[in-house]
Amino acid sequence: MPNINSGDTALVLISAALVCLMTPGLAFFYGGLVRRKNVLTIMIQSFVSMGVVTLIWILGGFSLAFGHDIFGVIGDFTQYFGLRGVTIAPNPNYGPTIPFLVYFLYQEMFAIITPALITGAFADRVNFKSYLKFLVLWSLFVYIPLVHWIWGGGFLAKLGLVDFAGGIVVHVSAGIAALASVFFVGKRTILPGESTAPHNIAFVALGTGLLWFGWFGFNGGSALAANGIAAIAFVNTDIAGSIAMISWLLISWIHEKKPTMIGVLTGAVAGLATITPAAGFVQPWAAAIIGLLSSGACYAAVQLKIKLDWDDALDVWGVHGVGGILGSICVGIFAVSSVNGVGGLVQGNVHQFLVQTFGVAFSAFYSFVITYLILKVLDTFSSVRVSVEDEKEGLDAKLHGESAYDLQ
């Protein structure tokens, strides 16, 4: 295969493995944040996505996302069904120097982690059977259409919208879906005197480390080549995550009077989520600004959630939703054509800013409405939420018959 570049292929293969590692990382991150009676329940929701979404991706999901465009709305279901036509030969539209099979694998890892992100919002109170149905339907009716619209040649791509590594496709879609699920499912049942504080901050730290490590593949690999764009995406990822971590620590220290480990970890994730859509379009100085902005915006969103009494248990909306929205709009502000051919307001390109803003608003609205409708339909057949009695006892024991800590 003379068109295959071994360096490009190696980068994307390694990046796919890094993104794969992010889902177990998310399981530890969320697992440490919940109460000890629900640890396995939320961790299995992340791990099971690896199996279920892989099947979806093989059996038509990838084809719907990246198949021949049909009216700018969806891809041809049959073109790549069962990996037909997905071979070691490159596809000129999707990584012209890497095997198309490698591109399939890389995109599959994004598809796996995105719905898993949502679970942090409705932690401790959703039936596992309902979650499995939700996982399938949400992937088919929210995630895959968004992928096609933005990365698969759909109508938003034709308008000129860009999203380097998933600010809209991953973080806005999951973060706004999380908010819709919070409104539909309702608040957790908290017993008198029961603490909802993270039960194992060491797990959260481990998860954050795995996520940060994987994020280099998440953003850097999206260049689909071992080139300067990949290099700048790697650097921007580190800068934004680091700046957001420190600035969140300072903000929370001033507001809460103590420096907390959770503040450090949450700030890092907020910065990493916010830089994602811009990582391959902006200079490092802009990544530093984006990291700084992300900590302020996401911290404010978390405080607003508390004030409004929204039970987004693990702050998925405040961190991923708001971070993804901010980062995607920042592309329209800070992108410079010398990096990757796209200019923003700093270069006088008002059109790109308007396209980014419209794309964010439309995608967020779509994700919220369809997510709510999916939950509504599922609930008409079988309750999405567990019983109050099961919730009080803990879902690990009631739903899975297991305990994360079998201490004698």
Side-chain angles (χ1 to χ4, degrees):
M1 294 296 172
N3 293 328
I4 293 178
N5 182 285
S6 59
D8 296 347
T9 302
L11 173 73
V12 182
L13 280 171
I14 292 170
S15 295
L18 289 171
V19 180
C20 180
L21 185 64
M22 292 178 76
T23 299
L26 182 70
F28 275 100
F29 185 81
Y30 281 173
L33 287 170
V34 298
R35 290 167 288 174
R36 66 173 57 237
K37 63 184 180 181
N38 298 314
V39 178
L40 300 181
T41 297
I42 198 159
M43 293 186 80
I44 195 176
Q45 289 172 351
S46 288
F47 275 98
V48 78
S49 181
M50 300 175 78
V52 172
V53 175
T54 296
L55 291 175
I56 294 171
W57 216 233
I58 293 171
L59 300 176
F62 179 75
S63 193
L64 288 170
F66 295 103
H68 177 73
D69 178 58
I70 301 175
F71 303 117
V73 176
I74 201 67
D76 182 350
F77 176 69
T78 62
Q79 186 174 1
Y80 301 128
F81 182 88
L83 300 189
R84 185 180 67 173
V86 182
T87 67
I88 60 173
N91 183 308
N93 297 318
Y94 305 114
T97 60
I98 64 174
F100 195 29
L101 197 61
V102 173
Y103 183 79
F104 161 85
L105 177 68
Y106 186 61
Q107 286 295 335
E108 176 194 318
M109 299 308 164
F110 281 71
I112 286 169
I113 196 171
T114 305
L117 288 171
I118 305 170
T119 63
F122 53 66
D124 303 350
R125 55 203 190 273
V126 167
N127 189 294
F128 185 64
K129 290 181 181 178
S130 297
Y131 168 69
L132 290 175
K133 297 171 187 175
F134 174 80
L135 177 59
V136 173
L137 294 177
W138 194 87
S139 297
L140 289 173
F141 292 103
V142 179
Y143 182 76
I144 287 172
L146 280 171
V147 171
H148 183 76
W149 298 344
I150 297 172
W151 290 340
F155 77 98
L156 289 177
K158 291 173 182 176
L159 288 176
L161 179 75
V162 293
D163 181 358
F164 187 73
I168 298 175
V169 173
V170 176
H171 297 290
V172 172
S173 69
I176 300 302
L179 189 61
S181 70
V182 168
F183 290 160
F184 183 86
V185 177
K187 295 192 290 185
R188 287 168 291 176
T189 300
I190 309 297
L191 298 174
E194 184 178 20
S195 173
T196 58
H199 90 283
N200 191 329
I201 296 177
F203 269 20
V204 184
L206 173 62
T208 302
L210 293 173
L211 286 169
W212 198 330
F213 181 64
W215 230 298
F216 289 112
F218 200 83
N219 290 350
S222 292
L224 301 179
N227 56 20
I229 296 173
I232 205 166
F234 264 73
V235 171
N236 286 342
T237 299
D238 183 62
I239 289 174
S242 300
I243 296 295
M245 178 181 69
I246 297 302
S247 52
W248 186 296
L249 171 64
L250 294 175
I251 293 169
S252 62
W253 195 343
I254 293 170
H255 184 251
E256 300 164 25
K257 309 305 181 186
K258 291 182 179 180
T260 65
M261 185 65 170
I262 288 294
V264 167
L265 302 174
T266 306
V269 173
L272 293 166
T274 306
I275 195 60
T276 294
F281 293 116
V282 303
Q283 294 282 5
W285 62 265
I289 295 174
I290 291 171
L292 187 63
L293 292 174
S294 71
S295 60
C298 295
Y299 187 86
V302 171
Q303 298 308 307
L304 177 63
K305 176 214 74 170
I306 296 171
K307 184 177 181 180
L308 296 176
D309 199 25
W310 295 346
D311 194 8
D312 179 356
L314 309 184
D315 294 320
V316 183
W317 169 75
V319 173
H320 296 278
V322 172
I325 289 169
L326 175 62
S328 299
I329 293 174
C330 281
V331 173
I333 300 173
F334 297 114
V336 288
S337 55
S338 60
V339 174
N340 199 5
V342 176
L345 285 179
V346 294
Q347 292 187 321
N349 188 351
V350 178
H351 174 74
Q352 191 65 48
F353 175 76
L354 294 176
V355 168
Q356 294 298 126
T357 304
F358 169 76
V360 166
F362 183 87
S363 301
F365 176 79
Y366 178 83
S367 180
F368 185 94
V369 171
I370 303 302
T371 300
Y372 197 92
L373 288 176
I374 289 171
L375 290 168
K376 186 72 173 176
V377 170
L378 289 175
D379 202 55
T380 59
F381 294 98
S382 178
S383 178
V384 168
R385 183 164 181 156
V386 298
S387 68
V388 174
E389 292 73 21
D390 288 355
E391 194 176 346
K392 288 179 179 178
E393 183 172 339
L395 304 191
D396 287 0
K398 294 301 294 185
L399 298 185
H400 305 290
E402 296 175 305
S403 172
Y405 304 99
D406 189 13
L407 303 177
Q408 302 297 327

